[in-house]
């Protein structure tokens, strides 16, 4: 599997390049709240919701004094406002209760598995959200798996799994050293631009020659404008 991933990662880099990263890693609390907001919506809308929330507070402490309904109104552009507002408020309340402050910096010295195990204890935070903290805030060699990554890795034949969490567990020990960020980000681009849920553009896919997908589509259609904005690499 590792050799497969190495090959796919290199093909994606050849096509998309190495994704840019911020020189200074963002605060892990910012990342986890941004990731909560990104669930089941696009990056642009979740970023608007994130900026809306930040512009209404001086610090995350202020969110504790807001009603869930108030948070919901502020982040409504991201969709699923009630669900996401509850998850954010619950996370902050738990951090204040058990750690005395609103911070995730205590996780820096913990192992990847320890970080995952602790974060998923919070209601509304799953493995994908927790793994985003590891990659984007702590620069760990961990590849978060969303629906795009799950779909592509199954189509290509790297895994045969039924959901993103199982895909994550299958690949997590096979990511080449230092490859997680480029692999994750370029798979997202591939999923948006080529390996779409329906009518994938196999006729111009940069990894078509290593893909085992049985229902490849070679019917050329007019290209649509792509959205190459990525939320978690934009949070500062």
């Amino acid at each position: 599997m590792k050799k497969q991933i190495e090959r796919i990662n290199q093909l994606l880099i050849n096509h998309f390049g190495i994704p840019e990263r911020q020189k200074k890693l963002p605060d892990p609390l910012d990342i986890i709240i941004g990731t909560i907001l990104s669930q089941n919506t696009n990056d642009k809308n979740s970023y608007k919701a994130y900026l809306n929330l930040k512009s209404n507070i001086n610090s995350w402490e202020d969110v504790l004094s807001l009603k869930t309904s108030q948070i919901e109104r502020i982040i409504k552009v991201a969709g699923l406002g009630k669900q996401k507002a509850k998850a954010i408020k619950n996370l902050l309340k738990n951090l204040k209760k058990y750690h005395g402050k609103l911070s995730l910096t205590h996780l820096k010295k913990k192992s990847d598995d320890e970080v995952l195990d602790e974060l998923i204890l919070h209601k509304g935070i799953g493995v994908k959200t927790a793994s985003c903290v590891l990659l984007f805030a702590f620069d760990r060699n961990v590849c978060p798996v969303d629906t795009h990554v799950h779909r592509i890795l199954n189509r290509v034949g790297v895994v045969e799994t039924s959901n993103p969490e199982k895909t994550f567990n299958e690949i997590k020990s096979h990511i080449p050293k230092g490859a997680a960020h480029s692999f994750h980000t370029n798979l997202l681009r591939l999923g948006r631009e080529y390996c779409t849920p329906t009518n994938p553009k196999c006729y111009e896919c940069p990894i078509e020659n290593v893909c085992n997908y049985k229902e490849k589509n070679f019917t050329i259609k007019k290209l649509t404008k792509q959205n190459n904005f990525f939320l978690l690499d934009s949070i500062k």
Side-chain angles (χ1 to χ4, degrees):
M1 184 184 293
K2 187 173 182 178
K3 287 189 177 298
Q4 272 184 297
I5 292 174
E6 285 178 339
R7 175 63 174 153
I8 293 166
N9 186 51
Q10 189 57 57
L11 288 171
L12 292 173
I13 289 173
N14 292 345
H15 185 77
F16 293 118
I18 297 175
E20 291 185 9
R21 299 198 71 176
Q22 298 180 55
K23 291 182 180 180
K24 182 181 178 182
L25 292 173
D27 185 275
L29 190 54
D30 290 352
I31 286 293
I32 200 167
I33 290 175
T35 308
I36 291 169
L37 292 171
S38 74
Q39 295 167 2
N40 299 105
T41 190
N42 62 54
D43 280 354
K44 286 189 175 180
N45 284 342
S46 48
Y47 192 50
K48 287 179 184 176
Y50 177 79
L51 294 179
N52 287 347
L53 187 54
K54 292 284 271 189
S55 68
N56 276 273
I57 59 174
N58 293 313
S59 71
W60 293 121
E61 287 275 353
D62 294 342
V63 177
L64 290 173
S65 63
L66 295 177
K67 294 179 180 179
T68 304
S69 59
Q70 291 176 298
I71 303 170
E72 183 182 350
R73 285 195 296 272
I74 294 170
I75 65 172
K76 65 180 180 180
V77 67
L80 300 176
K82 183 176 292 186
Q83 175 182 316
K84 294 176 182 180
K86 285 182 178 179
I88 293 169
K89 187 75 178 281
N90 180 68
L91 169 67
L92 296 177
K93 286 173 65 177
N94 286 345
L95 289 175
K96 190 72 171 180
K97 179 179 179 180
Y98 296 108
H99 300 283
K101 59 181 180 178
L102 302 187
S103 172
L104 292 174
T105 55
H106 66 282
L107 297 175
K108 286 184 178 180
K109 295 182 179 180
K110 297 195 175 189
S111 70
D112 294 349
D113 286 340
E114 286 173 332
V115 173
L116 290 170
D117 288 344
E118 180 168 329
L119 289 180
I120 63 175
L121 290 175
H122 300 282
K123 191 174 181 179
I125 295 174
V127 170
K128 186 259 184 176
T129 298
S131 61
C132 283
V133 173
L134 284 168
L135 175 61
F136 291 97
F138 296 150
D139 197 25
R140 304 287 181 88
N141 196 48
V142 172
C143 178
V145 176
D146 69 348
T147 54
H148 287 305
V149 176
H150 170 66
R151 177 176 69 252
I152 294 166
L153 295 183
N154 274 273
R155 282 180 173 177
V156 172
V158 174
V159 296
E160 291 183 17
T161 54
S162 57
N163 61 59
E165 185 172 338
K166 289 181 179 179
T167 298
F168 174 79
N169 288 326
E170 285 283 321
I171 70 169
K172 67 180 182 180
S173 63
H174 299 283
I175 303 297
K177 185 177 180 180
H181 183 262
S182 62
F183 190 59
H184 170 76
T185 306
N186 283 337
L187 282 175
L188 294 187
R189 289 195 65 178
L190 189 77
R192 291 178 181 182
E193 299 179 29
Y194 301 101
C195 198
T196 50
T198 59
N199 299 316
K201 301 176 180 68
C202 304
Y203 47 85
E204 59 180 8
C205 176
I207 64 169
E208 186 276 325
N209 65 334
V210 297
C211 178
N212 296 327
Y213 188 44
K214 294 179 180 179
E215 300 175 34
K216 288 183 180 179
N217 172 41
F218 292 102
T219 303
I220 299 176
K221 292 189 176 182
K222 184 179 179 181
L223 295 179
T224 56
K225 186 178 180 181
Q226 301 302 326
N227 171 20
N228 292 324
F229 174 80
F230 291 100
L231 168 69
L232 298 185
D233 277 319
S234 301
I235 286 179
K236 297 179 181 180

